[in-house]
Amino acid sequence: MYESRAYDKPAAEGFGPDPVVVLVVTGTHDVSRLVHLLNGGQPVIEQLEIGRKLAAQVARHNGGRAALKLLAQHGGPDLLQKLGES
């Protein structure tokens, strides 16, 4: 089972909010697949769906949008555009 949430935490330095992502994976099967993915394995459909959900959760917050913009600026995918929020 996968559970996720995203929120902004006030930054101690006074710059902007720090994005926070919480992903909880429960169960031997799901934990083993996540560990495999994080060690360079190929994602399964369920993990791709979690990734889309997590991107949408992150995009709802100022710090999260800034993190997604940074990803795109450094050659990663433009997830805000994919979500229709750019």
Side-chain angles (χ1 to χ4, degrees):
M1 180 172 78
Y2 293 83
E3 298 175 60
S4 64
R5 67 184 173 106
Y7 60 93
D8 281 348
K9 180 179 93 173
E13 299 84 35
F15 288 105
D18 282 331
V20 177
V21 170
V22 178
L23 178 63
V24 178
V25 182
T26 305
T28 304
H29 186 72
D30 290 334
V31 168
S32 67
R33 290 194 312 182
L34 179 65
V35 170
H36 174 68
L37 174 66
L38 294 175
N39 279 281
Q42 292 295 317
V44 295
I45 298 292
E46 185 178 359
Q47 292 164 335
L48 294 173
E49 290 172 8
I50 294 296
R52 285 189 285 274
K53 177 183 174 186
L54 192 54
Q57 290 174 322
V58 168
R60 288 188 206 123
H61 305 281
N62 291 333
R65 280 190 297 280
L68 295 179
K69 287 177 185 174
L70 181 66
L71 174 65
Q73 290 168 353
H74 289 271
D78 188 344
L79 296 176
L80 289 173
Q81 182 182 28
K82 255 183 150 174
L83 294 166
E85 297 190 21
S86 54

